[in-house]
Amino acid sequence: MTDPTTPLDSSDLFSDERVRLLLDAAVDATMLLDDRAQIVWASTGTEHLLGRTLEELRKVAPLDLVHPDDVGEAARLLGRLFDGIDGDDPAVVRVS
């Protein structure tokens, strides 16, 4: 277990066990995508909300999980993230 008094290393934040545990305990849908926009990790909350296991989610393109009316906005947000454009606006899209 990581010492909770040790500062987080921001260069590899997700690898810190404290962050992973926090994200996994959240009820929000949280996913980690690789550089090809494939799902490599999903929180327990994501599995519960979508009714799919991580193994099932890994076989699905993230945009296929988005409500058809929100696919354009979700694609725009993903593009901005992959272009390295930091956004301050929360991303809210419906899932189907």
Side-chain angles (χ1 to χ4, degrees):
M1 182 80 173
T2 305
D3 178 358
T5 62
T6 304
L8 294 175
D9 177 5
S10 62
S11 65
D12 196 10
L13 188 63
F14 191 78
S15 69
D16 189 286
E17 186 176 359
R18 294 174 293 183
V19 174
R20 186 191 59 76
L21 290 171
L22 177 65
L23 290 173
D24 202 37
V27 296
D28 296 329
T30 306
M31 293 182 278
L32 178 66
L33 308 178
D34 65 14
D35 59 353
R36 297 171 301 149
Q38 297 299 305
I39 300 168
V40 295
W41 179 86
S43 66
T44 302
T46 303
E47 292 182 11
H48 288 278
L49 289 169
L50 299 180
R52 301 180 188 204
T53 65
L54 175 57
E55 292 74 29
E56 293 168 326
L57 289 168
R58 285 183 173 160
K59 297 175 186 173
V60 177
L63 291 177
D64 290 344
L65 299 170
V66 176
H67 188 280
D69 292 345
D70 294 343
V71 169
E73 177 65 7
R76 185 187 70 77
L77 291 168
L78 272 177
R80 287 176 54 91
L81 289 172
F82 279 98
D83 288 342
I85 300 170
D86 215 1
D88 293 339
D89 300 327
V92 178
V93 294
R94 294 169 290 176
V95 295
S96 57

